[in-house]
């Protein structure tokens, strides 16, 4: 190498010995994405939708709890068992909070928020399991709740069908919530997986 080449401006800016590897970042992002499990990819891309579903289930569960408030009428001397357990209210709080955390994680990803979201979804999964158990007892205890107290009521069969339909709806919400919350609380996502730019 002669002195004229060594003092050349082009040599100072772009030395011939250094070659910028332009493909490294692409390979790194490809390797990072390929290491994700299919379940992590699903949560990363559908996080806002899943969170919205959880919030809707929470609102509907709470609404059914409000309906049970109006069942303490003659000749029915007590509230239904599922209402006495309080599940429509504390269960709805868990579902709404877990969905809200997922939506917040979609908008702004931090390690602390990821941990809180996984904890909240784990509690929501436990709540769903408890709700399924309580609803099972509710089916057994309250299957004759309406007509058992009022055989003379001509509408008791129709009301019983409506009442059991509400219990079935609550059971469905609980099972779906369990299948949403439990996998996320176990698998979760990493900060690079939940990044808004990659999820949108």
């Amino acid at each position: 190498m002669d002195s004229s080449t060594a003092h050349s401006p082009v040599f100072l800016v772009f030395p011939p010995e250094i070659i910028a590897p332009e493909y490294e970042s692409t390979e790194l992002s490809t390797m990072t994405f390929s290491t994700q499990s299919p379940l992590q990819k699903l949560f990363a891309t559908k996080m806002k939708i899943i969170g919205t579903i959880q919030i809707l289930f929470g609102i509907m569960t709470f609404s059914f709890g409000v309906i049970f408030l109006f069942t303490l009428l003659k000749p029915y001397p007590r509230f239904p068992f599922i209402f006495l357990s309080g599940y429509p209210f504390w269960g709805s709080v868990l579902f709404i909070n877990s969905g809200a955390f997922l939506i917040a994680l979609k908008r702004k990803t931090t390690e602390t928020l990821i941990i809180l979201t996984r904890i909240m979804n784990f509690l929501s999964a436990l709540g769903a399991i408890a709700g399924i158990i309580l609803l099972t007892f509710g089916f057994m205890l309250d299957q004759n709740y309406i007509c058992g107290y009022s055989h003379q009521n001509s509408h008791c069969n129709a009301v019983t069908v409506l009442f059991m339909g509400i219990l079935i709806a609550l059971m469905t919400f609980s099972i779906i919530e369990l299948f949403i919350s439990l996998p996320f609380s176990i698998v979760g996502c990493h900060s690079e997986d939940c990044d808004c730019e990659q999820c949108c």
Side-chain angles (χ1 to χ4, degrees), residues 82-98:
I82 193 63
F83 178 84
L84 296 175
S85 69
Y87 173 68
F89 302 106
W90 55 262
S92 63
V93 171
L94 292 175
F95 298 167
I96 292 173
N97 283 338
S98 58

Side-chain angles (χ1 to χ4, degrees), residues 70-181:
F70 301 97
T71 58
L72 190 60
L73 299 172
K74 291 182 179 181
Y76 320 122
R78 64 174 178 85
F79 286 113
F81 171 79
I82 193 63
F83 178 84
L84 296 175
S85 69
Y87 173 68
F89 302 106
W90 55 262
S92 63
V93 171
L94 292 175
F95 298 167
I96 292 173
N97 283 338
S98 58
F101 270 97
L102 276 180
I103 295 177
L105 185 61
K106 165 74 175 181
R107 294 181 177 177
K108 183 179 180 181
T109 303
T110 61
E111 290 298 330
T112 303
L113 193 56
I114 290 174
I115 295 174
L116 292 176
T117 303
R118 294 183 69 174
I119 293 174
M120 195 66 241
N121 276 272
F122 179 72
L123 294 176
S124 183
L126 291 180
I129 294 173
I132 293 172
I133 296 173
L134 292 173
L135 285 165
T136 303
F137 279 108
F139 278 115
M140 294 187 295
L141 296 175
D142 294 331
Q143 57 183 343
N144 296 320
Y145 176 71
I146 304 297
C147 294
Y149 292 115
S150 178
H151 291 287
Q152 298 178 354
N153 190 349
S154 60
H155 302 290
C156 71
N157 289 326
V159 176
T160 301
V161 170
L162 178 62
F163 175 73
M164 300 303 290
I166 293 177
L167 293 182
I168 292 173
L170 289 174
M171 178 70 79
T172 303
F173 296 159
S174 301
I175 293 174
I176 296 176
E177 177 65 24
L178 176 61
F179 281 112
I180 291 176
S181 300

